[in-house]
Amino acid sequence: IAGITQAPTSQILAAGRRMTLRCTQDMRHNAMYWYRQDLGLGLRLIHYSNTAGTTGKGEVPDGYSVSRANTDDFPLTLASAVPSQTSVYFCASSAETGLGTEAFFGQGTRLTVV
Amino acid sequence: SQQGEEDPQALSIQEGENATMNCSYKTSINNLQWYRQNSGRGLVHLILIRSNEREKHSGRLRVTLDTSKKSSSLLITASRAADTASYFCAGPQGGKLIFGQGTELSVKP
């Protein structure tokens, strides 16, 4: 079944540790996004990628990095996790970047930093 | 710097009633999208309306767009308990897809 897959589904992480959240899509979409969702704050864009080989900063990029080595994968890395990064993280993809094409979402990664 | 702001933040209605959610946005857009999120799940696309459209229908959903007022509304007619979810508007901003804070809809049976 075509779609977007995130891993892990949940994780408890010690503060200061490094963590990579994985995201893979098989729809050959050009654009991919990482959002975090916190209660009362909706979805906030962390980083995005218009196409393989390019990335850009979203609304809340500090403390996170991404790479887009190929079309399918868009990992999100927390270099040194802090408790304020406790959140639910969603990866999404769309055929084009915010230009009127539907975005497809993964099921999310629930991250707790202690 | 969220592109859309939804109103109300929460809405509670009885089954069979209509639910209306509003979205105001900041910058000019060429399209606006609405998404639904069931508790603990990823978002699912509902409908997209382009800047040259005033109204669009999809089943029990009706979306309007007023570009002069930079606002959109989502109407769910004859609501069902299964419509209970959070609803988000999203629009392009500088090539990125930016979401509002959402409206939490509760439909009581």
Side-chain angles (χ1 to χ4, degrees):
Chain A
I1 298 176
I4 187 161
T5 303
Q6 291 184 237
T9 54
S10 67
Q11 181 77 43
I12 298 174
L13 185 68
R17 296 295 296 269
R18 180 185 179 90
M19 172 82 187
T20 295
L21 280 59
R22 301 185 297 279
C23 176
T24 300
Q25 53 103 358
D26 61 2
M27 297 173 281
R28 308 302 295 171
H29 283 168
N30 283 322
M32 296 188 76
Y33 317 86
W34 273 106
Y35 296 90
R36 61 176 289 173
Q37 185 174 31
D38 304 287
L39 196 63
L41 294 176
L43 276 84
R44 292 181 292 169
L45 182 65
I46 305 171
H47 285 287
Y48 68 101
S49 170
N50 292 338
T51 188
T54 68
T55 62
K57 293 182 179 180
E59 303 166 278
V60 288
D62 294 343
Y64 306 95
S65 63
V66 292
S67 61
R68 188 87 184 276
N70 57 61
T71 297
D72 298 344
D73 301 301
F74 191 44
L76 175 73
T77 297
L78 289 68
S80 179
V82 295
S84 62
Q85 292 178 310
T86 293
S87 187
V88 181
Y89 292 85
F90 287 100
C91 181
S93 71
S94 65
E96 300 295 337
T97 304
L99 293 177
T101 58
E102 173 184 355
F104 292 81
F105 280 77
Q107 289 305 300
T109 294
R110 185 174 296 274
L111 180 66
T112 302
V113 182
V114 296
Chain B
S1 61
Q2 288 177 306
Q3 174 66 296
E5 294 183 3
E6 282 95 340
D7 171 58
Q9 292 188 345
L11 180 62
S12 181
I13 60 174
Q14 293 295 130
E15 206 165 23
E17 294 179 339
N18 296 340
T20 300
M21 289 159 269
N22 303 297
C23 171
S24 59
Y25 54 91
K26 299 175 184 175
T27 62
S28 295
I29 55 173
N30 56 18
N31 73 87
L32 188 131
Q33 303 182 40
W34 284 89
Y35 289 78
R36 166 192 169 126
Q37 183 183 34
N38 285 64
S39 180
R41 307 292 293 245
L43 279 71
V44 175
H45 183 265
L46 292 176
I47 196 166
L48 180 152
I49 186 166
R50 301 196 184 279
S51 58
N52 61 353
E53 299 174 306
R54 293 296 183 97
E55 189 171 304
K56 198 164 183 179
H57 296 255
S58 177
R60 293 184 295 112
L61 305 180
R62 186 184 76 144
V63 169
T64 62
L65 182 65
D66 187 333
T67 54
S68 66
K69 295 181 180 178
K70 291 188 170 63
S71 67
S72 174
S73 67
L74 170 67
L75 169 67
I76 303 174
T77 60
S79 64
R80 305 166 182 168
D83 294 328
T84 294
S86 292
Y87 293 82
F88 295 87
C89 65
Q93 183 181 73
K96 297 165 281 192
L97 186 60
I98 303 295
F99 285 78
Q101 295 182 358
T103 292
E104 192 173 327
L105 174 66
S106 175
V107 181
K108 300 180 191 284

